[in-house]
């Protein structure tokens, strides 16, 4: 679809292109002008956020949008598609990305070498995320997935030290293995269908001989589960997220793992026709184990960043517990899962940014020695506590809305085991959040190092935490956006029932 220069300035096709190419040009500018890297990075972040907001408004106004890059139609050309699901995740990415960028400008102010590398790699990662959310071609999705993985690994290694490098290498191996598994599925589908466009390949996948397509589906989903860190593939996540610098940990936990989940959901509904019962039950079982296992390990941690990393393992489990509940034809389940993904992204970014401020202030992240943080960094502690409310699933947060909808559907279907896991997971989340908050009111035995924290670091975390709470009050505004998936028949049906 060629762009119409006579159209209005808010034309959705223009903003789709801008949301990907603005951060790419920003990354290039940061490489060419390293002395201005922070200013250029912040400017690119602001422009990308504006483009994403404009695209979101355009989709709300016009419905799903398409762009054929270079004017070539599928299957020869590359198709980008923006629907409600895409722009919802892009909007969450923009909110997290803008505030993490503001935080990083202060965090890396005195770290010249890390600052020079952080900004271009982060902007490349942002461009890869937006391109992934917009892509409607299986191989183009692979390209964006690879770019996303390499950028995430590079950011992980920026922390320096043996722990960061070990975590980055492990992350790299898992990322490459997951991508190769996904690519194997893509090759099988192309061999059987002759097309990589999701809309064109979907009817062929449904009619093709079962074994080949089952292998393709299994390979693609297995590779994505590795990247999403669903139990038992979570072994790489805590070392990588826990050893990275605070802004990087926030980006990895809030955004990168959501991209893999997005692909699982998109392929599940649009390409594989809702998958099979046995696979849905397996994903639900792994998700239930992840909720309990991740929460228990989070509760046992003595360092704050590792606690938050294991909390991510647990919260990912809720997303996959939606798959078996969706087998009954519920139209609420996917909205609940997507609401959880959005609220988790905001809350977990706030938690990691808060942990980064605490680590910078005291020189460590030992939970037992937080040393009356409530008196010294009240905004940081407030941000962590508010984010914890969403993670626990307490009203009126976005986490409450998602878990309440999911829990209600589990009870309605008589899936009491899944409902029990959700309730137990909430109780365990409350335990590890209050473990941190409780220690923050105590005085440590040893004298602590104190280092001034720039206000922008504290306020960035607090705004994200407040956004996770306010998200719970925005269901009437967000649910129509999630239903605007008319370019994606599977998602349109799945998201169409929540009024």
């Amino acid at each position: 679809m060629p762009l119409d220069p006579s159209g209005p300035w808010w034309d959705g096709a223009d903003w789709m292109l801008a949301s990907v190419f603005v951060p790419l040009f920003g990354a290039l500018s940061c490489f060419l002008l390293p002395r201005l890297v922070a200013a250029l990075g912040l400017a690119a972040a602001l422009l990308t956020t504006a483009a994403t907001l404009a695209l979101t408004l355009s989709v709300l106004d016009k419905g799903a949008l398409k762009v054929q890059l270079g004017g070539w139609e599928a299957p020869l050309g590359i198709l980008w598609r923006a629907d409600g699901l895409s722009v919802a995740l892009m909007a969450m990415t923009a909110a997290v990305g803008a505030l993490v960028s503001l935080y990083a400008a202060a965090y890396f102010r005195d770290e010249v070498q890390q600052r020079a590398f952080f900004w271009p790699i982060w902007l490349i990662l942002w461009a890869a995320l937006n391109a992934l959310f917009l892509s409607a071609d299986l191989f183009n999705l692979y390209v964006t997935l690879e770019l996303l993985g390499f950028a995430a690994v590079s950011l992980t290694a920026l922390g320096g030290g043996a722990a960061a490098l070990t975590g980055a290498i492990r992350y790299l191996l898992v990322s490459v293995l997951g991508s190769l598994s996904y690519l194997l599925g893509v090759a099988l589908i192309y061999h059987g269908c002759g097309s990589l466009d999701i809309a064109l390949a979907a009817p062929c996948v449904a009619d093709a001989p079962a074994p080949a397509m089952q292998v393709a589906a299994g390979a693609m989903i297995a590779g994505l589960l590795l990247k999403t860190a669903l139990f038992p593939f979570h072994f790489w996540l805590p070392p990588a997220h826990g050893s990275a610098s605070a802004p990087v940990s926030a980006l990895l936990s809030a955004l990168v793992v959501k991209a893999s989940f997005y692909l699982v959901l998109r392929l599940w509904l649009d390409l594989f026709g809702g998958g099979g019962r046995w696979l849905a039950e397996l994903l639900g079982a792994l998700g239930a184990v992840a909720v309990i296992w991740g929460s228990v390990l989070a509760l046992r941690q003595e360092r704050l960043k590792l606690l938050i990393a294991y909390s991510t393992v647990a919260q990912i489990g809720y997303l996959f517990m939606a798959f078996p509940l969706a087998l009954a034809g519920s139209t609420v389940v996917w909205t609940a899962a997507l609401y959880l993904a959005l609220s988790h992204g905001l809350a977990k970014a706030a938690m990691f940014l808060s942990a980064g401020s605490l680590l910078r202030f005291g020189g460590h992240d030992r939970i037992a020695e937080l040393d009356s943080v409530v008196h010294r960094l009240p905004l940081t502690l407030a941000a962590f506590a508010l984010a914890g409310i969403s993670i626990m699933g307490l009203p009126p947060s976005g986490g409450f809305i998602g878990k309440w909808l999911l829990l209600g559907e589990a009870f309605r279907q008589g899936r009491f085991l899944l409902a029990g896991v959700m309730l137990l997971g909430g109780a365990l989340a409350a335990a590890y959040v209050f473990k941190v908050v409780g220690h923050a009111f105590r005085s440590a035995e040893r004298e602590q190092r104190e280092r001034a924290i720039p206000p922008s670091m504290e306020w960035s975390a607090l705004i994200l935490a407040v956004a996770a709470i306010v998200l719970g009050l925005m269901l009437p505004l967000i649910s129509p956006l999630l239903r605007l998936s008319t370019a994606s028949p599977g998602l349109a049906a799945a998201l169409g029932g929540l009024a």
Side-chain angles (χ1 to χ4, degrees):
M1 184 181 75
L3 303 184
D4 181 8
S6 64
W9 68 270
W10 44 265
D11 181 79
D14 295 301
W15 298 122
M16 289 173 70
L17 296 171
S19 66
V20 175
F21 288 105
V22 166
L24 278 180
F25 285 127
L28 179 61
S29 300
C30 289
F31 274 122
L32 296 177
L33 301 169
R35 293 185 179 181
L36 302 175
V37 66
L40 291 172
L42 284 173
L46 179 63
L47 292 174
T48 305
T49 301
T52 303
L53 175 61
L55 175 61
T56 302
L57 295 176
S58 185
V59 169
L60 281 171
D61 179 53
K62 296 182 176 181
L65 302 170
K66 296 180 182 179
V67 169
Q68 282 127 12
L69 299 185
W72 292 87
E73 296 194 14
L76 295 177
I78 295 176
L79 176 67
W80 280 359
R81 176 185 295 131
D83 57 19
L85 174 62
S86 300
V87 297
L89 288 168
M90 289 177 67
M92 186 269 287
T93 299
V96 172
L99 288 164
V100 168
S101 296
L102 181 62
Y103 182 99
Y107 186 89
F108 292 117
R109 182 176 299 163
D110 300 325
E111 305 289 342
V112 177
Q113 185 173 3
Q114 291 193 43
R115 181 181 63 200
F117 287 105
F118 170 81
W119 285 104
I121 298 173
W122 153 226
L123 291 173
I124 289 172
L125 185 144
W126 197 345
L129 278 169
N130 284 347
L132 185 147
F133 292 138
L134 293 172
S135 295
D137 176 276
L138 293 174
F139 186 75
N140 197 40
L141 285 170
Y142 166 74
V143 172
T144 59
L145 200 62
E146 280 288 77
L147 184 59
L148 179 65
F150 286 127
V153 169
S154 301
L155 287 175
T156 302
L158 280 182
L165 292 177
T166 301
I169 291 173
R170 186 178 301 178
Y171 192 177
L172 175 62
L173 294 175
V174 169
S175 180
V176 171
L177 180 60
S179 297
L180 290 176
S181 181
Y182 174 88
L183 185 60
L184 172 62
V186 172
L188 290 172
I189 290 176
Y190 184 69
H191 180 267
C193 301
S195 176
L196 294 175
D197 182 85
I198 294 177
L200 296 178
C204 173
V205 170
D207 298 335
M213 292 305 105
Q214 287 178 355
V215 171
M220 296 173 78
I221 291 177
L224 294 172
L225 294 184
L226 265 174
K227 290 176 172 287
T228 311
L230 178 65
F231 178 92
F233 307 119
H234 68 286
F235 57 89
W236 62 268
L237 187 148
H241 292 200
S243 61
S245 58
V248 173
S249 298
L251 296 173
L252 297 179
S253 186
L255 304 180
V256 176
V257 295
K258 302 301 185 305
S260 303
F261 170 74
Y262 164 84
L263 281 187
V264 173
L265 179 58
R266 180 70 78 179
L267 297 178
W268 182 270
L269 294 172
D270 283 354
L271 186 62
F272 301 123
R277 172 171 291 275
W278 69 269
L279 184 55
E281 296 290 352
L282 175 61
L283 293 177
L286 294 179
V289 175
V291 169
I292 304 302
W293 182 251
S295 298
V296 170
L297 289 181
L299 193 56
R300 296 179 59 186
Q301 299 306 307
E302 298 179 356
R303 294 186 176 271
L304 182 55
K305 289 192 71 178
L306 280 176
L307 181 149
I308 301 171
Y310 277 107
S311 170
T312 298
V313 173
Q315 297 303 310
I316 287 171
Y318 285 101
L319 303 179
F320 287 91
M321 290 172 68
F323 284 83
L325 294 175
L327 292 174
S330 170
T331 57
V332 177
V333 169
W334 295 124
T335 299
L338 292 171
Y339 224 91
L340 283 174
L342 298 177
S343 61
H344 176 262
L346 297 170
K348 194 51 61 77
M351 280 186 152
F352 269 117
L353 296 186
S354 300
S357 296
L358 293 173
L359 194 154
R360 176 67 61 90
F361 178 80
H364 68 86
D365 66 343
R366 292 186 294 272
I367 297 172
E369 299 179 22
L370 288 179
D371 191 24
S372 299
V373 175
V374 66
H375 302 300
R376 305 181 184 190
L377 295 175
L379 294 180
T380 294
L381 184 64
F384 185 90
L386 288 173
I389 288 175
S390 186
I391 294 297
M392 288 185 280
L394 297 180
S397 65
F400 167 76
I401 296 296
K403 291 180 181 179
W404 180 260
L405 294 174
L406 209 60
L407 185 64
E409 191 60 30
F411 276 118
R412 190 186 70 81
Q413 296 184 23
R415 306 293 293 263
F416 299 115
L417 181 59
L418 292 179
V421 168
M422 295 178 202
L423 294 173
L424 180 57
L428 290 172
Y432 60 71
V433 169
F434 283 117
K435 174 183 177 180
V436 176
V437 175
H439 279 294
F441 283 86
R442 302 177 184 175
S443 295
E445 296 179 359
R446 291 183 288 183
E447 185 177 350
Q448 305 294 303
R449 184 188 80 177
E450 295 186 14
R451 183 177 177 182
I453 302 299
S456 60
M457 289 174 60
E458 290 202 84
W459 280 103
S460 298
L462 183 60
I463 292 172
L464 282 170
V466 170
I469 300 297
V470 173
L471 189 66
L473 307 176
M474 298 176 64
L475 183 61
L477 297 177
I478 292 179
S479 57
L481 183 63
L482 298 180
R483 290 201 303 269
L484 286 173
S485 300
T486 53
S488 175
L491 285 167
L495 297 173
L498 189 63

